[in-house]
Amino acid sequence: MLAGQEIVWVTGTHGFIGRHISRTLASKGHFVAGLGHGAWPEMEAAVWGVSAWLNGDIAASNLGQLQRLSGSPKTIYHLAGGSSVGAAIAQPREDFARTVSSTAELLEWVRQYTPNTRIVAISSAAVYGSDHEGPIREDALLTPYSPYGYHKRMMEDLCRSYGASFGLAFAIPRLFSVYGAGLKKQLLWDLCSKLAGNNGEIELGGTGHEIRDWVHVEDVARAVVACADLADTSGPVVNIGSGEPLTVRDVARRMIDAWAIHGHPKRDVVFSGKSRAGDPFSLLADVTRLGSILPCLNHTTDAGFDAYVGWYLAASRGNV
Amino acid sequence: MLAGQEIVWVTGTHGFIGRHISRTLASKGHFVAGLGHGAWPEMEAAVWGVSAWLNGDIAASNLGQLQRLSGSPKTIYHLAGGSSVGAAIAQPREDFARTVSSTAELLEWVRQYTPNTRIVAISSAAVYGSDHEGPIREDALLTPYSPYGYHKRMMEDLCRSYGASFGLAFAIPRLFSVYGAGLKKQLLWDLCSKLAGNNGEIELGGTGHEIRDWVHVEDVARAVVACADLADTSGPVVNIGSGEPLTVRDVARRMIDAWAIHGHPKRDVVFSGKSRAGDPFSLLADVTRLGSILPCLNHTTDAGFDAYVGWYLAASRGNV
């Protein structure tokens, strides 16, 4: 550690978003320490700017150990938690443990040992649920639609409880559909996997009319880091999205176009018409508040989807 | 067990309210099995109508054991959880474990092993928080005001999540200020302890103008049992209160009067003016919905407070 370096922690560091947040923090000169699941060789963690890494649950013992390694953090970016609606439906108790119990453990440890540490608790647009049309403001009614969404809301409530009763300062970014090179799940990954497979029609679930708000992981990382300075005991919420409504059909067409740039024939896409459990119809961010802390995004979806396809093809040739 | 007996479980059986619910269920001819904390000799449990009792956490292993003892329950009355605002502020992580994690464990076990079991999940008026005046309807905005209230809301949300995603049937009674012989905490107990102590003024916290809704534990037990037949996947909520607004000063005066019946001089009461942390100003039930399942309460507060004082004095003479 260098003299004067700010110590920051990232939980769930090894995940797709955690790695990018760590790199953004390291690029600002911070000392980044992390805790979460994953075997992560020191050299690889260092590539992402992580100087100290513990592979384990968010438990008091591990948090104490991390404090011994790095010192007390000025800010904790709390990303540890379940990471998909489908997994939460398949194993709801496990998702509860990862998302809710881990937060209970973290907040209690902070209350007892480092009560001045700011917490940026990463939530999800899933807390808004299925009752919305058009851009969703942060003060919209929360009607979660899946165990994943319920557990994220419970995570938020735990922060509010510790803010109100114990004076912890926190902020809550709610992430919409995050994508970027390296993400090996969700719609873009599924589309690439199908485009790389047999020829013929691409079939997707749902109707194709579902609306999502896609935002690049590097913009998400910058936005999340900017949220730290908003932290207070009332826990401001900030939507992290692009504000651009794209249907699943739009996304599929753009990905097929991007795929064609690489010399592959264009393919058709069809939809099963069957929605997936826990899948709201429309999740679009009102980005007014985000605009006040991050005026511009660096990645458009057009360029971002092209880059994703480029990464996928390179990775599948073993070049990444 | 008798042929044809309905099997019901009560978690937190050994607590003040759990005992009364167990007795009410046994009086209807049900086979009552229980799980929770407390060393409870078989003979004493039997007095309360409990035929099988396990002393332990709400954990899958204990739930499986209870199923081996009693068979699968038609209904589970889930009372296990933290039991006071003050304790939740002193040890928030412990209250979370008791109230929220225990419910996560119970719901998951039911989902896997007895998905047709109905759950009556006992919540609290504390979920309503401090932003209310006059009678509070079940669909009021929930703005919890303490870790205790937040955790109860999280318990409710877990039930909603399992109802929506996994089809579990549940109902949520929200209990207001429950009292009755045997309750050794809260305002009535504090008042009696002070009345039994030195002479002179009785001093209480708060302003004396705080409004609460007092309801006798035997009426609570009947109401909670009546909620089971409402259970469905949307989880109807029912306020359990009397609908009678009483200030703390009103309660203190009535208790002092009841005390005087036993030949003791009347005492004055003064208020510190300092509110307790986590203590909302007014918690009064709108009892419209309760009236549709339980048209009449058996206990008025006048008679109930007199009886409480009578119990306290008998108990302090070692007669109970």
Side-chain angles (χ1 to χ4, degrees):
Chain A
M1 203 179 314
L2 305 172
Q5 251 190 322
E6 194 172 301
I7 299 163
V8 295
W9 289 4
V10 180
T11 72
T13 333
H14 190 238
F16 172 60
I17 302 170
R19 293 196 296 266
H20 282 275
I21 289 174
S22 299
R23 186 149 73 181
T24 299
L25 290 164
S27 74
K28 290 176 170 287
H30 300 330
F31 182 89
V32 182
L35 171 61
H37 290 148
W40 209 7
E42 200 173 315
M43 290 291 292
E44 288 184 27
V47 168
W48 291 95
V50 178
S51 300
W53 164 248
L54 285 183
N55 179 3
D57 286 334
I58 311 300
S61 53
N62 289 331
L63 294 164
Q65 181 69 22
L66 197 62
Q67 189 185 29
R68 277 169 195 81
L69 289 173
S70 79
S72 296
K74 177 166 182 190
T75 311
I76 299 174
Y77 297 86
H78 178 45
L79 282 91
S83 59
S84 96
V85 171
I89 291 174
Q91 289 181 269
R93 182 70 181 87
E94 178 66 19
D95 191 80
F96 171 85
R98 288 176 183 230
T99 299
V100 191
S101 298
S102 75
T103 303
E105 195 73 3
L106 177 69
L107 292 168
E108 179 66 7
W109 188 86
V110 169
R111 179 180 83 89
Q112 293 200 33
Y113 297 102
T114 65
N116 295 318
T117 295
R118 307 178 302 186
I119 295 163
V120 180
I122 312 300
S123 185
S124 162
V127 299
Y128 291 120
S130 58
D131 293 347
H132 304 280
E133 266 187 65
I136 307 173
R137 283 164 44 125
E138 287 87 349
D139 58 3
L141 200 65
L142 305 184
T143 52
Y145 194 54
S146 66
Y148 180 80
Y150 272 109
H151 296 161
K152 291 290 187 193
R153 181 168 109 167
M154 292 166 70
M155 182 212 71
E156 292 189 6
D157 272 352
L158 272 172
C159 292
R160 290 187 191 104
S161 178
Y162 272 80
S165 290
F166 307 112
L168 297 197
F170 66 105
I172 296 182
R174 288 191 185 134
L175 275 45
F176 284 69
S177 296
V178 183
Y179 75 96
L183 180 62
K184 296 184 177 176
K185 63 180 183 181
Q186 299 167 353
L187 181 60
L188 301 196
W189 176 259
D190 290 348
L191 276 165
C192 285
S193 305
K194 287 175 178 172
L195 283 160
N198 296 330
N199 291 324
E201 282 177 351
I202 305 287
E203 186 177 323
L204 294 174
T207 62
H209 302 300
E210 301 85 354
I211 291 166
R212 289 293 181 275
D213 179 318
W214 294 87
V215 57
H216 193 277
V217 67
E218 290 177 3
D219 286 324
V220 169
R222 291 193 305 130
V224 164
V225 169
C227 284
D229 286 332
L230 302 179
D232 65 27
T233 60
S234 74
V237 176
V238 182
N239 284 339
I240 312 290
S242 62
E244 179 192 18
L246 287 181
T247 65
V248 173
R249 186 179 290 276
D250 291 334
V251 173
R253 284 188 182 139
R254 291 208 201 171
M255 290 291 286
I256 290 166
D257 290 347
W259 196 262
I261 296 171
H262 297 270
H264 303 283
K266 286 216 186 182
R267 308 267 288 278
D268 288 328
V269 61
V270 295
F271 292 89
S272 70
K274 277 173 59 177
S275 343
R276 290 186 311 174
D279 216 10
F281 177 70
S282 177
L283 286 176
L284 175 63
D286 178 307
V287 291
T288 312
R289 194 174 290 174
L290 176 62
S292 69
I293 58 168
L294 195 76
C296 300
L297 300 183
N298 290 340
H299 299 263
T300 63
T301 47
D302 275 333
F305 290 173
D306 284 355
Y308 187 89
V309 168
W311 163 76
Y312 183 93
L313 290 167
S316 60
R317 288 190 298 264
N319 296 339
V320 174
Chain B
M1 202 177 321
L2 304 173
Q5 251 189 324
E6 193 171 302
I7 299 162
V8 295
W9 290 4
V10 179
T11 72
T13 333
H14 189 240
F16 171 60
I17 302 171
R19 293 196 298 265
H20 282 274
I21 288 175
S22 298
R23 186 151 71 182
T24 300
L25 290 164
S27 74
K28 289 176 170 289
H30 300 331
F31 182 89
V32 182
L35 171 61
H37 290 148
W40 210 7
E42 199 173 316
M43 289 293 291
E44 287 184 26
V47 169
W48 291 94
V50 178
S51 299
W53 165 248
L54 285 183
N55 178 3
D57 286 334
I58 311 300
S61 52
N62 289 330
L63 293 163
Q65 181 69 21
L66 196 62
Q67 189 185 29
R68 277 168 195 81
L69 288 174
S70 79
S72 296
K74 176 166 184 192
T75 311
I76 299 175
Y77 297 85
H78 178 46
L79 283 91
S83 59
S84 96
V85 171
I89 291 174
Q91 288 181 269
R93 181 71 182 85
E94 178 67 19
D95 192 80
F96 171 85
R98 288 175 182 229
T99 298
V100 191
S101 298
S102 75
T103 303
E105 196 72 5
L106 177 70
L107 292 168
E108 180 66 7
W109 188 86
V110 169
R111 180 180 83 88
Q112 293 200 33
Y113 297 102
T114 64
N116 295 319
T117 295
R118 307 178 301 185
I119 295 163
V120 179
I122 312 300
S123 185
S124 161
V127 299
Y128 291 120
S130 58
D131 293 348
H132 304 278
E133 266 186 65
I136 307 173
R137 282 164 44 125
E138 287 87 350
D139 58 3
L141 199 65
L142 305 184
T143 53
Y145 194 55
S146 66
Y148 180 81
Y150 272 110
H151 296 161
K152 290 291 185 193
R153 181 168 109 169
M154 293 167 72
M155 182 212 72
E156 293 188 6
D157 272 352
L158 273 172
C159 292
R160 291 188 189 101
S161 178
Y162 273 80
S165 289
F166 307 111
L168 298 197
F170 66 105
I172 296 183
R174 288 192 185 134
L175 274 44
F176 283 69
S177 296
V178 183
Y179 74 97
L183 180 62
K184 296 183 179 180
K185 62 180 183 181
Q186 299 168 356
L187 181 60
L188 302 197
W189 175 259
D190 289 348
L191 275 166
C192 285
S193 304
K194 287 175 179 173
L195 283 161
N198 296 330
N199 291 324
E201 283 177 350
I202 304 287
E203 187 176 324
L204 293 174
T207 63
H209 303 300
E210 301 85 354
I211 291 165
R212 289 293 181 276
D213 179 319
W214 293 88
V215 56
H216 193 277
V217 66
E218 289 176 5
D219 286 323
V220 169
R222 290 194 305 132
V224 163
V225 169
C227 284
D229 286 332
L230 302 179
D232 65 28
T233 60
S234 74
V237 176
V238 182
N239 284 338
I240 312 289
S242 63
E244 179 193 18
L246 286 182
T247 66
V248 173
R249 185 178 292 275
D250 291 334
V251 173
R253 283 188 183 138
R254 291 209 202 170
M255 290 292 284
I256 290 167
D257 288 348
W259 197 262
I261 296 171
H262 298 270
H264 302 283
K266 286 212 185 183
R267 310 266 288 277
D268 288 328
V269 61
V270 295
F271 292 90
S272 70
K274 278 174 60 178
S275 348
R276 289 187 312 175
D279 215 10
F281 178 70
S282 177
L283 286 176
L284 175 63
D286 178 307
V287 291
T288 311
R289 194 173 291 173
L290 175 62
S292 70
I293 58 169
L294 195 75
C296 300
L297 300 184
N298 290 340
H299 298 265
T300 63
T301 46
D302 275 332
F305 291 173
D306 284 354
Y308 188 88
V309 168
W311 163 76
Y312 183 93
L313 290 168
S316 61
R317 287 191 298 265
N319 297 340
V320 176

